[in-house]
């Protein structure tokens, strides 16, 4: 095929009627250079912005609980419940959000999911005030869970745009920019506390309303739908039969579940465990953004490292580092050392962010390895690549949902530990044990030499 012909075919990567692209071949170097890369990059930029706002709305209650002082009559256990509820709803929505990309198109679903964020933002801005019932607060927290679904649809969409050699970087950048919303909403809360004071929690939600509108407009004007991403609707069912689906889901509980769970709980943990040092919300807010910010910024590095040395290797050593960091937190808790406690928690955020990038790189690599094995046995290369993309997109949705549920487990662990022991020590011990299990699982399945091990994961 001549360069002119190839350039003409690449030109068809531009949006058709309704912003649908019918010819998309990112693994073809000529196609990628002739316009594919530019189109993918444009969609990535606006996907990041929309996902970022979604994460901020999802984790809004990690900040709002800091405003719920004595006038609201809610104890620490109730506050941990308020942060567990949006984590639970967000995790449940991730599977249908992933399917929605294939059903409605990545651009179309990004527009809808962005507009939907107005509901929790407006309700929180209007209804949170002293005297509001705990039931109403639970409903408001649950509605904020819609922001948690945006991640899964965004990742499934971007996974379809990029070639295998760049997936780790692209998925890492996309997820890292979204994850950064966890830190940014903490900074917004700090700004409101520092300027308007602790009596105006609705302002935190109100700040996001114009940005939600901008995210929806940006998606409408600049993003595209990929026709080939319209799968047969059976991908979820098919991928659930694969053992790697559940192994990767467990690993993602350890990485993303830790990140989002700590993001929801960290401010409360500081206020409960070190109440003398953090006797006002603004004192806790000064520190709560540090861990999520570092974990978000380092996530693309996890994908970048995974592209170069392998996702399984990065993931394995990440869990080793997370276990050591959790030991530091446990030691600090027992010694009452705030400096060591903060150090250990910041390291937990950082390494969980690194592992987020490497585990998501492992998902398409697993199915790519299976596709290559099928081609080596005489299978059709195009059909094998399509199947790999179909199944990896579905697994991204499942792993994202199960991993997000890990955020619920983290908050429940803290709630029960503080109720039972008066400290978070019980939760820290559980985290250490789980990270050890994840280390063993990664080594046994993806690093240990054995027949049938997926190559290049």
């Amino acid at each position: 095929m001549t360069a002119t012909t190839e350039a003409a075919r690449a030109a068809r990567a531009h949006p058709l009627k309704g912003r649908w692209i019918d010819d998309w071949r990112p693994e073809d170097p000529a196609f990628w250079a002739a316009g594919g890369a530019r189109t993918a990059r444009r969609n990535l930029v606006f996907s990041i912005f929309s996902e970022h706002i979604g994460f901020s709305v999802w984790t809004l209650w990690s900040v709002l609980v800091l405003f719920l002082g004595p006038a609201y009559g809610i104890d620490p256990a109730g506050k941990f419940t308020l942060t567990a509820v949006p984590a639970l709803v967000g995790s449940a929505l991730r599977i249908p959000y992933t399917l929605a990309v294939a059903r409605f198109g990545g651009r179309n679903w990004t527009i809808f999911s962005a507009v939907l964020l107005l509901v929790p933002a407006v309700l929180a801005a209007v209804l949170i005030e002293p005297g509001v019932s705990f039931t109403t607060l639970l409903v408001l927290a649950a509605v904020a869970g819609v922001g948690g679904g945006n991640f899964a649809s965004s990742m499934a969409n971007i996974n379809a745009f990029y070639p295998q050699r760049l997936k780790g970087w692209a998925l890492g950048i996309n997820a890292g920019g979204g994850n950064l919303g966890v830190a940014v909403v903490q900074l917004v809360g700090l700004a409101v506390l520092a300027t308007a004071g602790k009596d105006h929690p609705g302002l935190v939600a109100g700040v996001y309303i114009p940005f939600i509108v901008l995210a929806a407009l940006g998606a409408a004007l600049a993003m595209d739908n990929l026709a080939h991403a319209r799968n047969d609707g059976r991908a979820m069912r098919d991928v659930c039969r694969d053992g790697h689906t559940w192994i990767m889901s467990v690993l993602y509980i350890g990485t993303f579940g830790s990140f989002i769970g700590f993001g929801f709980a960290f401010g409360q943990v500081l206020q409960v465990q070190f109440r003398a040092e953090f006797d006002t919300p603004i004192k806790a807010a000064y520190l709560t953004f540090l861990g999520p910010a570092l974990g978000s910024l380092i996530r693309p590095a996890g994908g970048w490292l995974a592209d170069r040395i392998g996702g399984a290797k990065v993931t394995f050593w990440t869990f080793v580092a997370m276990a050591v960091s959790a030991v530091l937190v446990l030691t600090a808790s027992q010694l009452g050392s705030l400096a060591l406690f903060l150090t250990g928690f910041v390291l937990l955020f950082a390494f969980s962010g690194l592992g987020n990038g490497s585990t998501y790189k492992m998902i398409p690599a697993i199915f790519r390895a299976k596709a290559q094995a099928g081609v080596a046995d005489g299978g059709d290369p195009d059909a094998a690549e399509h199947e790999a993309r179909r199944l990896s997109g579905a697994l991204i949705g499942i792993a994202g949902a199960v991993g997000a549920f890990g955020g619920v487990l983290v908050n429940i662990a803290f709630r029960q530990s503080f109720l039972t022991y008066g400290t978070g020590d019980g939760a820290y011990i559980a985290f250490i044990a789980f990270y050890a299990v994840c280390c063993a699982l990664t080594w046994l399945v993806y690093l240990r030499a054995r027949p049938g091990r997926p190559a290049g994961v």
Side-chain angles (χ1 to χ4, degrees):
M1 182 178 293
T2 66
T4 302
T5 303
E6 185 58 46
R9 290 189 66 183
R12 293 209 304 272
H14 292 296
L16 303 177
K17 183 177 180 181
R19 307 282 306 196
W20 285 93
I21 296 174
D22 69 342
D23 180 27
W24 190 252
R25 293 168 287 111
E27 301 295 347
D28 184 335
F31 177 91
W32 188 250
R38 183 173 61 253
T39 299
R41 187 166 52 248
R42 170 167 42 80
N43 279 271
L44 175 61
V45 168
F46 286 91
S47 173
I48 289 172
F49 181 61
S50 180
E51 186 193 345
H52 175 92
I53 302 301
F55 255 99
S56 294
V57 172
W58 187 28
T59 55
L60 193 62
W61 282 84
S62 67
V63 175
L64 293 180
V65 293
L66 300 179
F67 287 80
L68 305 181
Y72 290 84
I74 303 173
D75 62 12
K79 292 181 180 180
F80 278 117
T81 301
L82 286 173
T83 52
V85 167
L88 176 61
V89 173
S91 67
L93 288 177
R94 286 189 164 197
I95 290 178
Y97 267 57
T98 300
L99 292 171
V101 171
R103 177 64 181 86
F104 302 106
R107 166 189 175 267
N108 295 346
W109 188 254
T110 302
I111 297 168
F112 173 79
S113 60
V115 171
L116 192 59
L117 297 174
L118 286 171
V119 177
V122 171
L123 289 178
V126 173
L127 297 179
I128 301 178
E129 59 183 16
V132 65
S133 70
F134 185 69
T135 300
T136 300
L137 294 177
L138 277 176
V139 172
L140 295 181
V143 174
V146 298
N150 290 33
F151 173 84
S153 56
S154 177
M155 293 294 275
N157 188 40
I158 294 304
N159 178 64
F161 270 99
Y162 275 84
Q164 177 67 26
R165 70 183 185 278
L166 297 176
K167 283 187 188 293
W169 173 84
L171 293 175
I173 289 287
N174 187 57
N179 291 174
L180 198 58
V182 182
V184 171
V185 75
Q186 307 280 350
L187 290 172
V188 171
L190 174 60
V192 171
L193 284 168
T195 55
K198 61 182 178 59
D199 297 324
H200 301 282
L203 289 178
V204 181
V207 165
Y208 280 95
I209 293 174
F211 292 102
I212 292 170
V213 173
L214 287 175
L217 286 174
L221 296 174
M223 292 186 71
D224 307 301
N225 302 304
L226 293 181
H228 83 268
R230 279 190 150 175
N231 63 33
D232 58 11
R234 297 193 301 267
M236 286 285 184
R237 185 188 67 188
D238 293 343
V239 83
C240 283
R241 298 170 179 168
D242 194 307
H244 292 289
T245 295
W246 307 111
I247 294 169
M248 291 307 304
S249 294
V250 170
L251 298 183
Y252 204 55
I253 287 176
T255 57
F256 182 75
S258 295
F259 174 83
I260 198 65
F262 296 152
F264 273 113
F266 188 39
Q268 296 178 76
V269 171
L270 288 177
Q271 284 196 303
V272 176
Q273 187 142 2
F274 294 91
R275 60 174 59 90
E277 291 87 347
F278 299 100
D279 55 340
T280 63
I282 195 168
K283 290 181 180 179
Y286 275 126
L287 295 173
T288 52
F289 75 93
L290 291 174
L294 185 57
S296 302
L297 293 172
I298 205 171
R299 178 164 184 159
W304 180 83
L305 283 172
D307 282 336
R308 282 152 182 77
I309 65 177
K313 290 180 181 178
V314 177
T315 299
F316 174 81
W317 288 109
T318 291
F319 281 123
V320 171
M322 290 178 70
V324 172
S325 301
V327 170
L328 286 180
V329 172
L330 175 62
T331 303
S333 175
Q334 294 176 339
L335 295 176
S337 171
L338 177 59
L340 186 60
F341 188 85
L342 291 173
T343 299
F345 246 111
V346 168
L347 289 174
L348 274 173
F349 273 110
F351 288 121
S352 65
L354 196 73
N356 286 340
S358 63
T359 50
Y360 254 48
K361 165 63 179 178
M362 291 171 67
I363 291 173
I366 289 168
F367 292 106
R368 179 75 170 180
K370 289 191 171 190
Q372 290 173 340
V375 171
D377 291 337
D380 177 67
D382 291 337
E385 180 182 332
H386 172 75
E387 183 71 357
R389 286 180 176 275
R390 186 177 76 97
L391 294 179
S392 62
L395 178 47
I396 281 174
I398 292 174
V402 177
F405 184 71
V408 182
L409 298 178
V410 167
N411 279 269
I412 291 175
F414 276 125
R415 182 181 185 276
Q416 292 305 120
S417 183
F418 281 112
L419 283 174
T420 304
Y421 306 109
T423 71
D425 292 0
Y428 308 140
I429 292 171
F431 301 152
I432 294 166
F434 186 72
Y435 298 149
V437 170
C438 290
C439 280
L441 199 56
T442 305
W443 182 79
L444 287 171
V445 179
Y446 300 112
L447 294 176
R448 178 176 62 96
R450 63 177 180 84
R453 185 188 70 176
V457 176

